[in-house]
Amino acid sequence: MGKKIKKIGVMTSGGDAPGMNAAIRAVVRTCAYYNIECVGIYRGYQGMIDADFVKLDARSVNNIINRGGTILKSSRSAEFKTKEGRAKAYENIKNAEIDGLILIGGDGTFTGGMVFYNEFKVPCIGIPGTIDNDIFGTNYTIGYDTALNTVIEVIDKIRDTASSHNRLFFVEVMGRDAGFIALNAGVGAGAEEILIPEEDLGLDRLLESLKRSKRSGKSSSIVVVTEGDKIGKSVFELANYVEENLQQYEVRVSVLGHMQRGGSPSCFDRVLASRLGVKSVELLLDGKSNLMVGLTNNKVTTTLLDKAVKGRHEINMELIRVSDIMSI
Amino acid sequence: MGKKIKKIGVMTSGGDAPGMNAAIRAVVRTCAYYNIECVGIYRGYQGMIDADFVKLDARSVNNIINRGGTILKSSRSAEFKTKEGRAKAYENIKNAEIDGLILIGGDGTFTGGMVFYNEFKVPCIGIPGTIDNDIFGTNYTIGYDTALNTVIEVIDKIRDTASSHNRLFFVEVMGRDAGFIALNAGVGAGAEEILIPEEDLGLDRLLESLKRSKRSGKSSSIVVVTEGDKIGKSVFELANYVEENLQQYEVRVSVLGHMQRGGSPSCFDRVLASRLGVKSVELLLDGKSNLMVGLTNNKVTTTLLDKAVKGRHEINMELIRVSDIMSI
Amino acid sequence: MGKKIKKIGVMTSGGDAPGMNAAIRAVVRTCAYYNIECVGIYRGYQGMIDADFVKLDARSVNNIINRGGTILKSSRSAEFKTKEGRAKAYENIKNAEIDGLILIGGDGTFTGGMVFYNEFKVPCIGIPGTIDNDIFGTNYTIGYDTALNTVIEVIDKIRDTASSHNRLFFVEVMGRDAGFIALNAGVGAGAEEILIPEEDLGLDRLLESLKRSKRSGKSSSIVVVTEGDKIGKSVFELANYVEENLQQYEVRVSVLGHMQRGGSPSCFDRVLASRLGVKSVELLLDGKSNLMVGLTNNKVTTTLLDKAVKGRHEINMELIRVSDIMSI
Amino acid sequence: MGKKIKKIGVMTSGGDAPGMNAAIRAVVRTCAYYNIECVGIYRGYQGMIDADFVKLDARSVNNIINRGGTILKSSRSAEFKTKEGRAKAYENIKNAEIDGLILIGGDGTFTGGMVFYNEFKVPCIGIPGTIDNDIFGTNYTIGYDTALNTVIEVIDKIRDTASSHNRLFFVEVMGRDAGFIALNAGVGAGAEEILIPEEDLGLDRLLESLKRSKRSGKSSSIVVVTEGDKIGKSVFELANYVEENLQQYEVRVSVLGHMQRGGSPSCFDRVLASRLGVKSVELLLDGKSNLMVGLTNNKVTTTLLDKAVKGRHEINMELIRVSDIMSI
């Protein structure tokens, strides 16, 4: 067990996600509750290197639970990947008398924390914050539920115009290498087909399915595609290919892009962030380190950071079957 | 095991909830997928008595996944509680050659289904659809997640004006005898206090807490109250009591009311409704009856209707602790 | 003409309205554009008395254009209605070297500005900010368009449940003594009847209309009522009266309340606030005082504060006719 | 004056826009009010050629006022541009005993109506429905206000992530050859720069402005670009150019696309559509033809279809100045 924790540093790192502010608020308020100090570190590891710190008390985080983005800002730091960078960061952490770190982000963020711990023994706890839901050790990452709602609201709008004009839309959503957003938002939005990295549908089956869908009386269709889907074509090439080979619909493409990262967090994400924020502080106070907090079967659980980074959060194959049945 | 299922009837009954249409759609499409017929029964058990039926095919449920309310309408039927009423209903079911029933609703709906099964052996499967989340055998009922988002969006708006005017707001939310909505939406909205039937805070502690909150520098506050909370006072009496005894805030009341039942369902509710809808049909096809489908630890599960009705879905006490810490 | 303006004070006063922050931002940025200083006065006239001031530069108002409420907070000040209160306020204004005032609010706010000008010759310009739209000299007040959208979104939700259960809902909206919100949101939400202070429908005609509506095949109905409507009954009494005398619908009441004042402003309100904010500063710089800026026929116009306060913004009677035709 | 009108046909044509359903509802209900028949023509002029008609009564348009898209669907018809196509269409109109037409759409729709009138003397009235607001003879087209709100809500989300990461975003919005959406949504979203076809900013001034903005302390920026802006570069080329030449921000692009056409209409658009729908029927009943209804200075007005098509709706140059001041 390490020394007694009297001051905790909290940061957000990597891609931002809705609910990060709710997590920051929870960390800060839990520190206040246990009468320990809390320091915000701006711009993730880069702010650690630049000693870009701010003292946070319970009132500093008023009225942020409902805001998208992160008041602590985020970045990816190349300098922190160097030994010199990390040494500078440690110097600043030591000078600021920070005894433990709470790292809100994804794989890259957690890896940074582990390396830093190995070198300087600063205890750290990770909170999974990313819209992609691609982290092992939690059923849900903070921001994912909000992103799903953002995506279906946009597809609902696209469907208005798709069905008014009998069009076929290809909608590209985020997800890095994981189909969580595409599969869940696809089912939620009533998409006819969903292309995810975890399952290679193949162009022929896609065409066949769209033809069947047309025959069955559907006048418009939505296909949801994960960015960087492994089908070997960009969403625009895919759309062209389908338009040429199907010749039954006008085809249009919509790339949703960064709007998926923003917006006021859903209730689910705010509650999740609050629960994980409380637990993360309590783990540090209990002398723990190198753990990620997560939600497994509706309970707050912990996973070794190492496992969280190396493991793979598998997609729910049952949902693929549901999607197939729904698109009849 | 009963006879082979060739035609399924589906109804919504009791209070409506967002996502009921998504569940209807899933039932109808799954029937189409398995090449069995599907009949919509209007206005719940009353429509069964009135033979108010409609044939539904895969295309009948286009573009309803995103709509609030229920296209099959809902009601509470006094007549179905009589033997004569149920006999009439059975006559109609028999004439329509309906072999199994899918009942979307809550406790009352499921009880009706069990009584009907006992008398006439028409197999039935229940799908939990209610915003209150007060059903045993599922972590989430359909409509609950949407209602939470509706509530926090409204409280976010109320907080705008509360903090502009340094006011204290009492916000009454739905929940029948359960604090799920109040507790989760309260944490999500950053409420200072949350009054739920499961925990008697007491007026003195409420006052004490609000005083402490004021001392700690909060200029405005939100208190979320479950309708019919057992504190023994209406939300208006409560507000008056606090205003007189606290004399530090202008106090206002907002009763959210029926808007909580409406609106386009969240992605979570649409996906949940789709999964439960598929499973409910498959259970009937497998010869099952008197089961409720639900989501337990992210998996689709079944519970005896009898247990679902008699059991009590317990609130998460950890969240009460989170709420206390957050309101520091 | 007064002395050269080098420092402007800006405040929000009276009931808050969405878009007030966009107006503050526009005032602050316009000051920066013209290289003059800008001071925010907290809590309206009370903050003037308490010397509760804050220096605002162009960056102070980053990321507030989309926020409801007012960062300067608002209040109603009894003390400012006394000669002593105003004398204190003037002392503070003089000490802070504020040469002109921009007052964002409604009638009461403008009256205060005129009295203050008469006594101390501090030039002032009014910006109409209130959701009620009851100000003479502008077609639209800041916040009104947003409130309309808030109201119809809620009524859309209520209609989901109303039509699922064949119910009649009475929905009470804000408006002080003016029916702008009720009439426009009522038409926008497709209400069957709209009760506004400007037109006494009478209980008999209301009943007659609802009966006709039921006969015509409508299964559910919405009646929008302005708070304090002169029909001589509260919305609850009204609902009871109709339920007893109509006996065709279950009747429910929803009082929308303060949520109507909050929320992120609509594009219309943000643009309106930006235009009026720019103009208000330019008028002060031009040596003007005692004017209200407004939007008349899509152009920024000015009205004497005195006329703005004494005049009456008349409701559009054509819209009542449209409403009657639509509810056939 | 033509013969007495006993049956009116209504259609939507060209790009769909939110509020078209509200306009259809208003036309149908006004017909019912005046006891004349109403026929819906599906898919615009193509449906006229295909005799794709549907009888509409007051109840047919229940619960559509809040829906995006158009229940009558829309299309662009090449066949109607031929004499043969129009002759077929006339045959169908005559057989269906339709005495007058109400055309909801834009320039192309109105031109079709005029040609048809010249050949067959079927009276027609145009209702401006397009998100682009590029129609002469009305201050607002139906759908424009909703599109503005859609755009600013998305940009608010993008700003969350932009400011979390100190990025510069180029956001492309719709508008055909007109900058209405870009200019108004740009001001509403607090964009730093707005590129519209009506004003050639030039790349140098854009760079200069963004540099100044960075120097002034802004850490993130949004540039709104009209699709097909005449700056001679696609939004992606523009972004690359700026990234290379500015080297102060990470630059990202977001193309909003078709989502701008969908969604539930704003209150403004629903009220506008209702007012124009009523007037359009009354004009036909008064024996008028070849007029477009519109909203000018808050009053319902009429313009010759010929003028509406040939005229140019000029953008408000004052707003460009407001935008410049705001981006200081």
Side-chain angles (χ1 to χ4, degrees):
Chain A
M1 213 202 89
K3 62 172 177 181
K4 196 162 173 302
I5 301 282
K6 282 179 288 188
K7 195 187 280 185
I8 285 177
V10 58
M11 66 155 74
T12 49
S13 171
D16 62 319
M20 281 185 161
N21 281 327
I24 294 167
R25 171 181 178 270
V27 167
V28 171
R29 295 249 168 116
T30 309
C31 288
Y33 181 83
Y34 287 109
N35 270 311
I36 58 174
E37 287 185 76
C38 188
V39 171
I41 301 166
Y42 283 110
R43 294 175 295 116
Y45 292 114
Q46 193 56 46
M48 216 188 258
I49 293 171
D50 301 340
D52 196 0
F53 300 155
V54 60
K55 197 172 146 31
L56 296 171
D57 66 20
R59 294 288 73 74
S60 320
V61 291
N62 280 2
N63 297 327
I64 68 167
I65 195 173
N66 61 335
R67 287 209 215 137
T70 155
I71 60 164
L72 292 178
K73 305 211 170 196
S74 185
S75 71
R76 291 182 172 85
S77 170
E79 197 175 350
F80 192 78
K81 291 187 176 154
T82 67
K83 232 182 155 69
E84 295 72 29
R86 290 192 298 274
K88 256 199 257 181
Y90 176 64
E91 207 58 31
N92 295 328
I93 290 295
K94 208 175 53 179
N95 290 339
E97 301 185 319
I98 292 170
D99 307 314
L101 292 170
I102 290 176
L103 313 169
I104 307 169
D107 281 356
T109 308
F110 300 157
T111 302
M114 286 189 289
V115 171
F116 197 64
Y117 179 83
N118 288 341
E119 291 176 354
F120 305 108
K121 302 299 162 205
V122 182
C124 66
I125 300 292
I127 298 179
T130 160
I131 64 167
D132 298 325
N133 206 33
D134 59 347
I135 309 273
F136 179 83
T138 188
N139 297 141
Y140 299 99
T141 56
I142 296 169
Y144 169 61
D145 183 68
T146 304
L148 290 181
N149 284 327
T150 299
V151 170
I152 64 164
E153 282 165 26
V154 172
I155 299 183
D156 286 351
K157 289 190 168 86
I158 290 174
R159 192 176 284 280
D160 283 343
T161 187
S163 65
S164 296
H165 283 278
N166 297 348
R167 280 176 180 152
L168 169 61
F169 269 85
F170 282 81
V171 179
E172 186 191 283
V173 301
M174 284 187 164
R176 291 211 308 180
D177 303 321
F180 288 97
I181 293 178
L183 182 56
N184 280 271
V187 169
E192 276 65 34
E193 286 299 333
I194 302 168
L195 305 185
I196 55 173
E198 286 86 349
E199 194 207 37
D200 188 0
L201 187 69
L203 283 171
D204 291 344
R205 277 188 51 205
L206 175 62
L207 278 181
E208 197 41 59
S209 161
L210 291 170
K211 276 180 200 163
R212 179 170 51 80
S213 163
K214 183 80 179 183
R215 276 197 307 272
S216 85
K218 284 192 194 174
S219 56
S220 64
S221 282
I222 305 282
V223 178
V224 174
V225 187
T226 311
E227 58 172 351
D229 181 64
K230 298 312 182 315
I231 208 156
K233 292 179 184 297
S234 82
V235 68
F236 293 98
E237 290 167 339
L238 199 60
N240 283 339
Y241 179 88
V242 167
E243 187 160 45
E244 279 167 28
N245 287 279
L246 195 64
Q247 302 198 317
Q248 294 181 317
Y249 289 106
E250 277 185 79
V251 179
R252 294 284 183 279
V253 170
S254 193
V255 176
L256 300 198
H258 281 80
M259 76 183 72
Q260 295 167 85
R261 295 203 175 284
S264 182
S266 69
C267 189
F268 187 97
D269 275 330
R270 298 185 195 184
V271 172
L272 175 63
S274 301
R275 293 171 74 182
L276 299 188
V278 168
K279 184 69 175 178
S280 65
V281 172
E282 294 182 337
L283 285 169
L284 277 183
L285 295 184
D286 278 357
K288 299 290 193 300
S289 181
N290 288 38
L291 296 174
M292 185 190 81
V293 290
L295 193 78
T296 312
N297 297 343
N298 302 311
K299 287 192 184 58
V300 176
T301 53
T302 58
T303 305
L304 288 174
L305 279 183
D306 191 48
K307 278 199 180 172
V309 167
K310 286 185 186 147
R312 184 170 168 76
H313 187 187
E314 296 294 341
I315 212 156
N316 181 348
M317 299 306 284
E318 172 224 340
L319 209 49
I320 296 179
R321 210 173 67 86
V322 168
S323 163
D324 286 345
I325 296 176
M326 288 304 100
S327 66
I328 195 165
Chain B
M1 210 202 90
K3 62 174 178 180
K4 196 162 174 302
I5 302 281
K6 283 179 289 192
K7 195 188 280 186
I8 285 177
V10 58
M11 66 155 74
T12 50
S13 171
D16 62 318
M20 281 187 160
N21 281 326
I24 294 167
R25 172 182 178 267
V27 167
V28 171
R29 294 250 168 115
T30 309
C31 287
Y33 181 83
Y34 287 110
N35 269 311
I36 56 173
E37 286 185 78
C38 189
V39 171
I41 300 166
Y42 283 110
R43 295 176 295 118
Y45 292 114
Q46 192 56 47
M48 214 187 258
I49 293 171
D50 301 341
D52 196 0
F53 300 155
V54 60
K55 200 174 143 30
L56 295 171
D57 67 19
R59 293 290 71 74
S60 319
V61 291
N62 280 1
N63 297 327
I64 67 165
I65 195 173
N66 60 335
R67 286 209 217 139
T70 155
I71 61 164
L72 292 177
K73 306 210 168 195
S74 185
S75 71
R76 290 183 171 87
S77 170
E79 197 177 350
F80 192 77
K81 290 186 176 155
T82 67
K83 230 180 157 69
E84 296 72 30
R86 291 194 298 275
K88 257 199 257 179
Y90 176 64
E91 207 59 30
N92 295 328
I93 291 294
K94 206 175 53 178
N95 290 339
E97 302 186 319
I98 292 171
D99 307 314
L101 293 169
I102 290 176
L103 314 168
I104 307 170
D107 281 357
T109 309
F110 300 158
T111 302
M114 285 189 289
V115 171
F116 198 64
Y117 180 82
N118 288 341
E119 293 176 352
F120 305 109
K121 302 300 162 204
V122 183
C124 67
I125 300 292
I127 299 180
T130 160
I131 63 167
D132 298 325
N133 206 35
D134 58 348
I135 309 273
F136 179 82
T138 188
N139 297 141
Y140 299 99
T141 56
I142 296 169
Y144 168 60
D145 184 67
T146 304
L148 291 181
N149 284 326
T150 298
V151 171
I152 64 164
E153 282 165 27
V154 172
I155 299 183
D156 286 352
K157 288 191 168 85
I158 291 173
R159 192 177 284 282
D160 283 343
T161 186
S163 64
S164 295
H165 284 278
N166 297 349
R167 280 178 181 152
L168 168 62
F169 269 84
F170 282 80
V171 180
E172 186 191 282
V173 300
M174 284 188 165
R176 292 210 308 180
D177 303 321
F180 288 97
I181 293 178
L183 181 56
N184 280 270
V187 169
E192 276 65 33
E193 285 300 332
I194 302 169
L195 305 185
I196 56 173
E198 287 86 349
E199 194 206 35
D200 187 0
L201 187 67
L203 283 171
D204 291 344
R205 276 188 51 205
L206 175 62
L207 278 181
E208 196 41 60
S209 161
L210 291 170
K211 277 181 200 163
R212 178 171 50 81
S213 163
K214 183 82 179 184
R215 277 196 306 272
S216 85
K218 283 192 194 174
S219 56
S220 63
S221 280
I222 305 282
V223 177
V224 174
V225 186
T226 312
E227 56 171 355
D229 182 64
K230 297 315 180 318
I231 209 156
K233 292 179 183 296
S234 82
V235 68
F236 293 99
E237 291 167 339
L238 200 60
N240 284 338
Y241 179 88
V242 167
E243 188 160 43
E244 278 167 28
N245 287 278
L246 195 64
Q247 302 198 319
Q248 294 181 317
Y249 290 106
E250 276 184 81
V251 179
R252 293 284 182 278
V253 170
S254 194
V255 176
L256 300 198
H258 281 80
M259 77 182 72
Q260 295 167 82
R261 295 205 174 283
S264 183
S266 70
C267 190
F268 187 95
D269 275 329
R270 299 185 195 184
V271 172
L272 175 63
S274 301
R275 294 171 73 182
L276 299 188
V278 168
K279 184 70 175 177
S280 65
V281 172
E282 294 181 339
L283 285 169
L284 277 183
L285 296 183
D286 278 357
K288 300 289 194 299
S289 181
N290 288 37
L291 296 174
M292 185 191 81
V293 290
L295 193 78
T296 313
N297 298 342
N298 301 311
K299 284 188 188 60
V300 177
T301 53
T302 58
T303 305
L304 289 173
L305 278 182
D306 191 47
K307 279 200 180 172
V309 167
K310 288 185 186 150
R312 185 171 166 77
H313 187 187
E314 297 292 340
I315 213 156
N316 181 347
M317 299 306 285
E318 171 223 341
L319 209 49
I320 296 179
R321 210 174 66 86
V322 168
S323 163
D324 285 345
I325 297 176
M326 287 306 99
S327 65
I328 195 166
Chain C
M1 212 203 87
K3 62 175 177 178
K4 198 164 171 305
I5 301 281
K6 282 180 289 190
K7 194 186 283 187
I8 285 176
V10 59
M11 67 154 75
T12 49
S13 171
D16 63 317
M20 281 186 161
N21 281 327
I24 294 167
R25 172 182 178 268
V27 167
V28 170
R29 294 249 169 118
T30 308
C31 287
Y33 182 84
Y34 286 111
N35 269 312
I36 57 175
E37 287 185 75
C38 188
V39 171
I41 301 165
Y42 282 110
R43 294 174 297 118
Y45 291 115
Q46 193 56 46
M48 215 187 257
I49 293 170
D50 301 340
D52 196 359
F53 300 155
V54 60
K55 199 172 144 32
L56 295 172
D57 66 19
R59 293 290 71 74
S60 321
V61 290
N62 280 2
N63 297 329
I64 68 165
I65 194 172
N66 60 335
R67 288 210 215 138
T70 156
I71 60 165
L72 293 177
K73 306 212 169 195
S74 185
S75 70
R76 291 184 172 85
S77 170
E79 196 177 350
F80 192 77
K81 290 187 176 154
T82 67
K83 230 181 157 72
E84 296 70 31
R86 291 193 299 273
K88 257 199 257 180
Y90 176 64
E91 207 58 31
N92 294 329
I93 291 294
K94 208 175 53 180
N95 290 340
E97 300 186 320
I98 292 170
D99 307 315
L101 292 169
I102 290 176
L103 314 168
I104 307 170
D107 282 356
T109 309
F110 300 158
T111 301
M114 285 189 290
V115 170
F116 198 65
Y117 180 82
N118 287 341
E119 291 176 352
F120 304 107
K121 301 300 159 202
V122 183
C124 67
I125 300 291
I127 298 180
T130 160
I131 63 166
D132 298 325
N133 206 34
D134 59 348
I135 309 274
F136 180 82
T138 188
N139 297 141
Y140 300 97
T141 56
I142 296 169
Y144 168 61
D145 183 66
T146 304
L148 291 181
N149 284 326
T150 299
V151 171
I152 64 165
E153 282 166 26
V154 172
I155 299 183
D156 286 352
K157 288 190 168 87
I158 290 174
R159 192 177 285 281
D160 282 343
T161 186
S163 64
S164 296
H165 285 277
N166 298 348
R167 280 177 180 152
L168 168 61
F169 269 85
F170 283 81
V171 180
E172 186 191 283
V173 301
M174 285 187 163
R176 291 211 308 180
D177 304 320
F180 287 98
I181 293 179
L183 182 56
N184 280 269
V187 169
E192 277 65 34
E193 286 299 333
I194 302 168
L195 305 185
I196 56 174
E198 287 86 348
E199 195 206 34
D200 187 0
L201 187 67
L203 282 171
D204 291 344
R205 277 188 51 205
L206 174 63
L207 278 181
E208 197 41 61
S209 161
L210 290 170
K211 278 181 199 163
R212 179 171 50 81
S213 163
K214 183 81 179 183
R215 276 196 306 272
S216 85
K218 283 191 193 175
S219 56
S220 63
S221 282
I222 305 282
V223 177
V224 174
V225 185
T226 311
E227 57 172 353
D229 182 64
K230 297 315 182 314
I231 209 156
K233 293 180 183 295
S234 82
V235 68
F236 293 98
E237 290 167 338
L238 200 58
N240 284 339
Y241 179 88
V242 167
E243 190 161 39
E244 279 167 28
N245 287 277
L246 196 63
Q247 302 198 318
Q248 295 182 316
Y249 290 106
E250 274 185 81
V251 179
R252 293 285 183 277
V253 170
S254 193
V255 176
L256 300 199
H258 281 80
M259 76 183 73
Q260 297 168 83
R261 295 204 175 282
S264 182
S266 69
C267 190
F268 187 96
D269 275 330
R270 298 185 195 184
V271 171
L272 175 63
S274 301
R275 292 171 75 182
L276 299 188
V278 168
K279 184 68 175 181
S280 65
V281 172
E282 293 181 339
L283 285 169
L284 277 182
L285 295 183
D286 278 357
K288 300 290 194 299
S289 181
N290 288 39
L291 296 174
M292 184 192 80
V293 290
L295 193 77
T296 313
N297 298 341
N298 303 311
K299 286 190 186 60
V300 177
T301 53
T302 57
T303 305
L304 288 173
L305 278 183
D306 191 47
K307 278 198 182 175
V309 168
K310 288 184 187 150
R312 183 170 168 78
H313 187 187
E314 296 293 341
I315 213 157
N316 181 348
M317 298 305 284
E318 171 224 341
L319 208 50
I320 296 179
R321 209 174 67 85
V322 168
S323 163
D324 285 345
I325 296 176
M326 287 306 99
S327 65
I328 194 167
Chain D
M1 211 200 91
K3 61 173 176 177
K4 198 164 171 302
I5 302 281
K6 282 178 288 188
K7 196 187 281 185
I8 284 176
V10 58
M11 66 154 73
T12 50
S13 170
D16 63 317
M20 281 185 161
N21 281 328
I24 293 167
R25 171 181 178 269
V27 167
V28 171
R29 295 249 169 117
T30 310
C31 287
Y33 181 83
Y34 286 110
N35 270 309
I36 58 174
E37 287 185 73
C38 188
V39 171
I41 301 165
Y42 282 110
R43 293 175 297 117
Y45 292 116
Q46 193 56 46
M48 215 188 259
I49 292 170
D50 301 340
D52 196 359
F53 301 154
V54 61
K55 198 172 145 33
L56 295 171
D57 65 19
R59 293 289 72 75
S60 320
V61 291
N62 280 2
N63 296 329
I64 68 166
I65 194 172
N66 59 335
R67 289 211 214 136
T70 156
I71 60 165
L72 292 178
K73 305 212 167 195
S74 185
S75 70
R76 290 184 173 85
S77 169
E79 196 176 350
F80 192 78
K81 290 188 175 153
T82 67
K83 231 181 158 67
E84 295 73 26
R86 291 193 298 273
K88 258 200 256 180
Y90 176 63
E91 207 59 30
N92 295 329
I93 290 295
K94 208 174 52 178
N95 290 339
E97 301 186 318
I98 292 170
D99 306 314
L101 292 170
I102 290 175
L103 314 167
I104 307 169
D107 282 357
T109 308
F110 299 157
T111 302
M114 286 189 289
V115 171
F116 197 65
Y117 180 81
N118 287 342
E119 291 175 354
F120 304 107
K121 302 300 162 203
V122 182
C124 66
I125 300 292
I127 298 180
T130 160
I131 64 166
D132 298 326
N133 205 33
D134 58 347
I135 309 274
F136 180 82
T138 188
N139 296 141
Y140 299 98
T141 56
I142 296 168
Y144 168 60
D145 183 66
T146 304
L148 291 181
N149 284 327
T150 299
V151 171
I152 65 164
E153 282 165 26
V154 172
I155 299 183
D156 286 351
K157 288 190 167 89
I158 291 174
R159 191 176 286 280
D160 283 343
T161 186
S163 64
S164 295
H165 283 278
N166 297 348
R167 279 175 181 154
L168 168 61
F169 269 85
F170 282 81
V171 180
E172 186 190 283
V173 301
M174 285 188 164
R176 291 211 309 180
D177 304 321
F180 288 97
I181 293 178
L183 182 55
N184 280 270
V187 169
E192 276 65 34
E193 286 299 332
I194 301 168
L195 306 185
I196 56 174
E198 287 86 347
E199 194 207 36
D200 187 359
L201 186 69
L203 283 171
D204 291 345
R205 276 188 51 204
L206 174 62
L207 278 181
E208 196 41 58
S209 160
L210 291 170
K211 277 180 200 164
R212 179 170 51 81
S213 162
K214 184 82 179 183
R215 276 196 308 271
S216 85
K218 283 191 194 176
S219 57
S220 64
S221 281
I222 305 283
V223 178
V224 174
V225 186
T226 311
E227 58 173 350
D229 182 64
K230 298 312 182 315
I231 210 157
K233 293 181 184 294
S234 82
V235 68
F236 293 98
E237 291 167 338
L238 200 60
N240 283 339
Y241 179 89
V242 166
E243 188 160 43
E244 279 168 27
N245 286 277
L246 195 64
Q247 302 197 318
Q248 293 182 317
Y249 289 106
E250 275 184 82
V251 179
R252 293 285 183 278
V253 170
S254 193
V255 176
L256 300 199
H258 281 79
M259 77 183 72
Q260 296 167 84
R261 296 202 174 284
S264 182
S266 69
C267 190
F268 187 97
D269 275 329
R270 297 184 196 185
V271 172
L272 175 63
S274 301
R275 293 171 73 182
L276 299 188
V278 168
K279 184 69 174 181
S280 66
V281 172
E282 294 182 337
L283 286 169
L284 277 182
L285 294 183
D286 278 356
K288 300 291 194 299
S289 181
N290 288 40
L291 296 174
M292 184 191 82
V293 290
L295 193 78
T296 312
N297 297 342
N298 302 312
K299 285 190 186 59
V300 176
T301 53
T302 58
T303 306
L304 288 173
L305 278 183
D306 191 48
K307 277 199 180 172
V309 169
K310 287 185 186 149
R312 184 171 167 75
H313 187 188
E314 296 292 343
I315 212 156
N316 181 350
M317 299 306 285
E318 172 223 340
L319 208 48
I320 296 179
R321 209 173 68 84
V322 168
S323 163
D324 285 346
I325 296 176
M326 288 305 99
S327 66
I328 193 166

